[in-house]
Amino acid sequence: SVDINGLNIAPGYQYDIIRRDRGYLGLEIDLNLINTKASLALTGNVGNVTGSGSGSKSFLAPLPAVGPVFRWYPLHDSNRLSIGGSFRGMPFFGYGNFLSARGDVGVGLTQHLNVRVGYEMSSRLSIHGTADQIAVKLTHKGPSAGIEYSWGQSPPKKVHNPNPPPSDWHV
C-alpha cells in the first residue's frame, strides 16, 4: 500500500498592472511551501518464504513561482463579490519545473479582508531524474481555500448622483 499526502501553502505578493472599477490584471509572485509525506508498506510471499517491508519519507520544497493574475467584480458598484484566477510557474533550469493554475470566488468581509474558495486546476512539480536519482512528478488538484489581506486601496465605490453638476460645454 502507498499513501502520499501533500500540503501547499503559498504566501505571496501581487502587483496590479491594470486596475479598474470592475477588476484588474496583475502579476503575482509567491513561494509555494509544498510539504509532502509518503509511506510505503509491502508484503510478499514466494513459495514458503514471506517477507515484508515499509518505509516513509517527507520533504518540504520551497518553490518560487510568478505569473499573471486577474479578478473581476460582477456586482455593479461593489467589490464584495469577485471571480478570479491565476497561472504561475517557474523553470528550474534543466532540473524540472513547477506550474500552477487556479480559479476562485472571493467574498469581501471588510474593506481589506477577503475569504477565497476555489479549485486548483493543477499544480505540477516535475523534477527530472538522472542515472543515480529517481525523477519526481507530483500533481495536486482539488478544492482550495484561503484568506487574503490587501494593504493597497480597494476599488473606489461609485457614488450615483442623479443631479450631476452642469458642464462647461453647452450646445
Side-chain angles (χ1 to χ4, degrees), residues 167-171:
S167 171
D168 292 337
W169 293 90
H170 299 283
V171 177

Side-chain angles (χ1 to χ4, degrees), residues 31 55 68 105 157 160:
L31 182 64
V105 173
K157 294 181 180 180
H160 180 64

Side-chain angles (χ1 to χ4, degrees), residues 77-157:
D77 296 338
S78 175
N79 62 355
R80 288 284 187 190
L81 178 68
S82 64
I83 298 170
S86 70
F87 177 79
R88 301 172 319 278
M90 179 67 75
F92 299 130
F93 310 106
Y95 293 104
N97 58 53
F98 175 73
L99 300 170
S100 180
R102 68 168 169 77
D104 57 32
V105 173
V107 176
L109 301 177
T110 68
Q111 182 179 0
H112 297 285
L113 184 65
N114 290 312
V115 173
R116 306 203 69 75
V117 294
Y119 191 79
E120 188 83 21
M121 292 172 265
S122 97
S123 179
R124 188 191 81 199
L125 170 63
S126 176
I127 304 296
H128 307 305
T130 61
D132 62 342
Q133 293 181 343
I134 194 165
V136 174
K137 287 190 179 183
L138 295 175
T139 302
H140 296 106
K141 58 184 171 179
S144 64
I147 297 174
E148 173 185 86
Y149 187 83
S150 173
W151 279 271
Q153 294 179 348
S154 59
K157 294 181 180 180

